[in-house]
Amino acid sequence: MENEFKLKRIPLEEYDYCKYEEAKSGNIDNIEFYYQYNSDAIKSVNAFFMDNEYYMDENGMEKFVAMITGMLFMMEHNDVEADQAYGTYYDIADFETGEYDDLFTPEDLKLIRADIKKIKDYLAEHPELLEE
């Protein structure tokens, strides 16, 4: 039986974004739109996820990039939700199997791995976020 939480091999949408940095930048712009109205990082990221429910439910690379973006945004604002930390950590572990590398350019993989390192470093400093 297939794990329903495992990332699926669905690439970034070419008509929306072709590259990781473009997808991440677009996500940040959208999250910042919500943030300007409520000044709450967690609420802003969650609103972004709700507005992109299709991609989140699809569980492909759009969702993976959204999870990375949401986590980085929360980290930047020192307001990280444990559910976000755990979900991002889970997706990173799945991504790091190498099963999805061919869905990104070598340049994108370098950028993704740099962001993953930032997240892992943050989680190492805040292990309480991964406690159940």
Side-chain angles (χ1 to χ4, degrees), residues 32-107:
E32 285 179 347
F33 171 79
Y34 296 110
Y35 190 74
Q36 72 180 338
Y37 292 104
N38 64 38
S39 298
D40 182 299
I42 292 172
K43 287 180 182 176
S44 299
V45 169
N46 287 334
F48 169 72
F49 289 165
M50 287 176 58
D51 274 357
N52 291 281
E53 187 175 4
Y54 170 76
Y55 290 128
M56 299 306 286
D57 289 347
E58 190 177 53
N59 209 27
M61 295 304 101
E62 294 281 349
K63 182 249 188 175
F64 175 67
V65 174
M67 292 296 284
I68 295 289
T69 306
M71 184 69 183
L72 292 171
F73 189 85
M74 287 181 185
M75 288 166 41
E76 181 181 319
H77 291 86
N78 293 317
D79 193 14
V80 178
E81 182 179 47
D83 284 345
Q84 175 71 26
Y86 186 79
T88 304
Y89 182 79
Y90 190 95
D91 285 349
I92 286 171
D94 196 11
F95 181 80
E96 287 185 324
T97 63
E99 199 174 317
Y100 310 92
D101 288 1
D102 64 312
L103 300 177
F104 295 96
T105 67
E107 296 81 19

